[in-house]
Coordinates of all heavy atoms in Angstrom, one line a residue:
K1 N -42.2 -3.8 -24.2 CA -41.8 -3.2 -25.5 C -43.0 -3.3 -26.5 O -43.0 -2.4 -27.4 CB -40.6 -4.0 -26.1 CG -39.3 -3.6 -25.5 CD -38.1 -4.3 -26.1 CE -36.8 -3.9 -25.5 NZ -35.6 -4.6 -26.1
A2 N -43.9 -4.2 -26.3 CA -45.1 -4.3 -27.2 C -46.1 -3.3 -26.8 O -47.2 -3.2 -27.4 CB -45.6 -5.7 -27.1
G3 N -45.9 -2.6 -25.7 CA -46.8 -1.5 -25.2 C -47.9 -2.0 -24.3 O -48.8 -1.2 -24.0
T4 N -47.7 -3.1 -23.6 CA -48.7 -3.6 -22.7 C -48.8 -2.8 -21.5 O -47.8 -2.5 -20.8 CB -48.4 -5.1 -22.3 OG1 -48.2 -5.9 -23.5 CG2 -49.5 -5.7 -21.5
T5 N -50.1 -2.4 -21.1 CA -50.4 -1.6 -20.0 C -51.2 -2.4 -19.0 O -51.7 -3.4 -19.3 CB -51.2 -0.3 -20.4 OG1 -52.5 -0.7 -20.8 CG2 -50.4 0.5 -21.4
T6 N -51.3 -1.8 -17.8 CA -52.2 -2.5 -16.8 C -53.6 -2.6 -17.3 O -54.3 -3.6 -17.1 CB -52.2 -1.7 -15.4 OG1 -50.8 -1.6 -15.0 CG2 -53.0 -2.3 -14.4
Q7 N -54.1 -1.5 -18.0 CA -55.4 -1.6 -18.5 C -55.6 -2.7 -19.5 O -56.6 -3.4 -19.6 CB -55.8 -0.3 -19.2 CG -57.2 -0.2 -19.7 CD -58.2 -0.2 -18.5 OE1 -58.0 0.6 -17.5 NE2 -59.2 -1.0 -18.6
D8 N -54.5 -3.0 -20.3 CA -54.5 -4.1 -21.3 C -54.6 -5.4 -20.5 O -55.4 -6.3 -21.0 CB -53.2 -4.1 -22.1 CG -53.1 -2.9 -23.0 OD1 -54.1 -2.4 -23.5 OD2 -51.9 -2.5 -23.3
V9 N -53.9 -5.6 -19.5 CA -53.9 -6.8 -18.7 C -55.3 -7.1 -18.2 O -55.9 -8.2 -18.3 CB -52.9 -6.7 -17.5 CG1 -53.0 -8.0 -16.6 CG2 -51.5 -6.6 -18.0
L10 N -56.0 -6.0 -17.7 CA -57.3 -6.2 -17.1 C -58.3 -6.5 -18.3 O -59.2 -7.3 -18.1 CB -57.8 -4.9 -16.4 CG -56.9 -4.6 -15.2 CD1 -57.3 -3.2 -14.6 CD2 -57.1 -5.7 -14.1
M11 N -58.1 -6.0 -19.5 CA -59.0 -6.3 -20.6 C -58.8 -7.8 -21.0 O -59.7 -8.5 -21.3 CB -58.6 -5.4 -21.8 CG -59.5 -5.7 -23.0 SD -59.0 -4.7 -24.5 CE -57.4 -5.5 -24.8
I12 N -57.5 -8.2 -21.0 CA -57.2 -9.6 -21.3 C -57.9 -10.5 -20.3 O -58.5 -11.6 -20.7 CB -55.7 -9.8 -21.3 CG1 -55.0 -9.1 -22.5 CG2 -55.3 -11.3 -21.3 CD1 -53.5 -9.0 -22.5
A13 N -57.8 -10.2 -19.0 CA -58.5 -11.0 -18.0 C -60.0 -11.0 -18.2 O -60.6 -12.1 -18.0 CB -58.1 -10.4 -16.6
N14 N -60.6 -9.9 -18.5 CA -62.0 -9.9 -18.7 C -62.4 -10.7 -19.9 O -63.4 -11.4 -19.8 CB -62.5 -8.4 -18.9 CG -62.6 -7.7 -17.6 OD1 -62.8 -8.2 -16.5 ND2 -62.4 -6.4 -17.7
E15 N -61.7 -10.6 -21.0 CA -62.0 -11.4 -22.2 C -61.8 -12.9 -21.9 O -62.6 -13.7 -22.4 CB -61.1 -11.0 -23.4 CG -61.5 -9.6 -23.8 CD -60.6 -9.0 -24.9 OE1 -59.5 -9.6 -25.2 OE2 -60.9 -7.9 -25.4
F16 N -60.8 -13.2 -21.1 CA -60.6 -14.6 -20.7 C -61.8 -15.1 -19.9 O -62.3 -16.2 -20.2 CB -59.3 -14.8 -19.9 CG -59.1 -16.2 -19.3 CD1 -58.4 -17.1 -20.1 CD2 -59.5 -16.5 -18.1 CE1 -58.3 -18.4 -19.6 CE2 -59.3 -17.8 -17.5 CZ -58.7 -18.7 -18.3
R17 N -62.2 -14.3 -19.0 CA -63.4 -14.7 -18.1 C -64.6 -15.0 -18.9 O -65.3 -15.9 -18.7 CB -63.6 -13.6 -17.1 CG -64.8 -13.9 -16.1 CD -64.7 -15.2 -15.3 NE -63.4 -15.2 -14.6 CZ -62.6 -16.3 -14.6 NH1 -62.9 -17.4 -15.3 NH2 -61.5 -16.3 -13.9
E18 N -64.8 -14.2 -20.0 CA -66.0 -14.5 -20.9 C -65.8 -15.8 -21.6 O -66.8 -16.5 -21.8 CB -66.1 -13.3 -21.9 CG -66.5 -12.0 -21.3 CD -66.5 -10.9 -22.3 OE1 -66.4 -11.1 -23.5 OE2 -66.7 -9.7 -21.9
R19 N -64.6 -16.2 -22.0 CA -64.4 -17.4 -22.8 C -64.3 -18.6 -21.8 O -64.7 -19.7 -22.2 CB -63.1 -17.4 -23.6 CG -63.1 -16.4 -24.7 CD -61.9 -16.6 -25.6 NE -60.6 -16.6 -25.0 CZ -59.9 -15.6 -24.5 NH1 -60.4 -14.3 -24.7 NH2 -58.7 -15.7 -23.9
H20 N -63.8 -18.4 -20.6 CA -63.6 -19.5 -19.7 C -64.1 -19.2 -18.3 O -63.4 -18.9 -17.4 CB -62.1 -19.9 -19.6 CG -61.5 -20.2 -20.9 ND1 -61.7 -21.3 -21.6 CD2 -60.7 -19.4 -21.7 CE1 -61.0 -21.3 -22.7 NE2 -60.5 -20.1 -22.9
P21 N -65.4 -19.2 -18.1 CA -66.0 -18.7 -16.8 C -65.7 -19.5 -15.6 O -65.8 -19.0 -14.5 CB -67.5 -18.7 -17.1 CG -67.7 -19.7 -18.3 CD -66.5 -19.6 -19.1
D22 N -65.2 -20.8 -15.8 CA -65.0 -21.6 -14.6 C -63.5 -21.8 -14.3 O -63.2 -22.4 -13.3 CB -65.6 -23.0 -14.8 CG -67.1 -22.8 -14.9 OD1 -67.7 -22.0 -14.3 OD2 -67.7 -23.6 -15.7
V23 N -62.6 -21.3 -15.1 CA -61.1 -21.5 -14.9 C -60.6 -20.3 -14.0 O -60.7 -19.2 -14.4 CB -60.4 -21.6 -16.2 CG1 -58.9 -21.7 -16.0 CG2 -60.9 -22.7 -17.1
P24 N -60.0 -20.7 -12.9 CA -59.4 -19.6 -12.0 C -58.3 -18.9 -12.8 O -57.4 -19.5 -13.4 CB -58.9 -20.4 -10.8 CG -59.5 -21.7 -10.9 CD -59.8 -22.0 -12.3
L25 N -58.4 -17.6 -12.7 CA -57.3 -16.7 -13.3 C -56.9 -15.7 -12.2 O -57.7 -15.0 -11.6 CB -57.9 -15.9 -14.4 CG -56.9 -15.0 -15.2 CD1 -55.9 -15.9 -16.0 CD2 -57.6 -14.1 -16.1
V26 N -55.6 -15.7 -11.9 CA -55.1 -14.9 -10.8 C -54.1 -13.9 -11.4 O -53.2 -14.3 -12.2 CB -54.3 -15.8 -9.8 CG1 -53.7 -15.0 -8.7 CG2 -55.2 -16.9 -9.2
L27 N -54.3 -12.6 -11.1 CA -53.3 -11.6 -11.5 C -52.1 -11.7 -10.6 O -52.2 -11.8 -9.4 CB -53.9 -10.2 -11.4 CG -55.1 -9.9 -12.3 CD1 -55.6 -8.5 -12.1 CD2 -54.6 -10.0 -13.8
M28 N -50.9 -11.7 -11.3 CA -49.7 -11.8 -10.6 C -48.8 -10.6 -10.9 O -48.6 -10.4 -12.1 CB -49.0 -13.1 -11.0 CG -47.7 -13.4 -10.3 SD -48.0 -13.9 -8.6 CE -46.5 -14.6 -8.2
G29 N -48.3 -10.0 -9.9 CA -47.4 -8.8 -10.3 C -46.9 -8.1 -9.1 O -47.1 -8.5 -7.9
Y30 N -46.2 -7.1 -9.4 CA -45.6 -6.2 -8.3 C -46.6 -5.1 -8.0 O -47.5 -4.8 -8.8 CB -44.3 -5.6 -8.9 CG -43.2 -6.6 -9.1 CD1 -43.1 -7.4 -10.2 CD2 -42.2 -6.7 -8.1 CE1 -42.1 -8.3 -10.3 CE2 -41.2 -7.6 -8.2 CZ -41.1 -8.4 -9.3 OH -40.1 -9.3 -9.5
A31 N -46.5 -4.6 -6.8 CA -47.4 -3.6 -6.3 C -47.3 -2.3 -7.1 O -48.3 -1.6 -7.3 CB -47.2 -3.3 -4.8
N32 N -46.1 -2.0 -7.6 CA -45.9 -0.7 -8.3 C -47.0 -0.4 -9.4 O -47.6 0.7 -9.4 CB -44.5 -0.6 -8.9 CG -43.5 -0.8 -7.9 OD1 -43.5 -1.8 -7.2 ND2 -42.5 0.1 -7.7
P33 N -47.2 -1.3 -10.4 CA -48.2 -1.0 -11.4 C -49.6 -1.0 -10.9 O -50.4 -0.3 -11.4 CB -48.0 -2.2 -12.4 CG -46.7 -2.8 -12.1 CD -46.4 -2.5 -10.7
M34 N -49.8 -1.7 -9.8 CA -51.2 -1.7 -9.2 C -51.5 -0.4 -8.5 O -52.7 0.0 -8.5 CB -51.3 -2.8 -8.2 CG -51.2 -4.2 -8.8 SD -51.4 -5.5 -7.6 CE -50.4 -6.8 -8.4
V35 N -50.5 0.3 -8.0 CA -50.8 1.6 -7.3 C -50.5 2.8 -8.1 O -50.7 3.9 -7.6 CB -50.1 1.6 -5.9 CG1 -50.5 0.5 -5.0 CG2 -48.6 1.6 -6.1
R36 N -50.0 2.6 -9.3 CA -49.6 3.8 -10.1 C -50.7 4.8 -10.3 O -50.5 6.0 -10.1 CB -49.0 3.3 -11.5 CG -48.6 4.5 -12.3 CD -47.8 4.0 -13.5 NE -47.3 5.2 -14.2 CZ -47.3 5.3 -15.5 NH1 -47.6 4.2 -16.2 NH2 -46.9 6.4 -16.1
R37 N -51.9 4.3 -10.6 CA -53.0 5.2 -10.8 C -53.8 5.3 -9.5 O -54.8 5.9 -9.4 CB -54.0 4.7 -11.8 CG -53.4 4.7 -13.2 CD -54.4 4.4 -14.2 NE -53.9 4.1 -15.5 CZ -54.5 3.7 -16.5 NH1 -55.8 3.5 -16.5 NH2 -53.9 3.4 -17.7
G38 N -53.4 4.6 -8.5 CA -54.0 4.6 -7.2 C -54.7 3.2 -6.9 O -55.3 2.6 -7.8
P39 N -54.6 2.8 -5.7 CA -55.2 1.5 -5.3 C -56.7 1.4 -5.5 O -57.2 0.3 -5.9 CB -54.8 1.2 -3.8 CG -54.3 2.6 -3.4 CD -53.9 3.4 -4.5

């Protein structure tokens, strides 16, 4: 409802990685959003 997209999630992950280079971050989700634009 807030308009979050897969691209937004990847941007959030990239920004997190810049702030916390050593903390493991794992994307969790269903395959549908991952393949919508193509694997």
Side-chain angles (χ1 to χ4, degrees):
K1 282 185 179 179
T4 306
T5 66
T6 301
Q7 188 67 47
D8 294 330
V9 175
L10 296 173
M11 181 185 68
I12 290 166
N14 284 330
E15 291 171 355
F16 175 86
R17 178 60 54 232
E18 290 175 10
R19 293 190 311 280
H20 305 285
D22 297 325
V23 179
L25 184 70
V26 179
L27 293 178
M28 182 73 166
Y30 290 80
N32 305 54
M34 294 179 206
V35 299
R36 182 169 182 216
R37 293 188 195 175

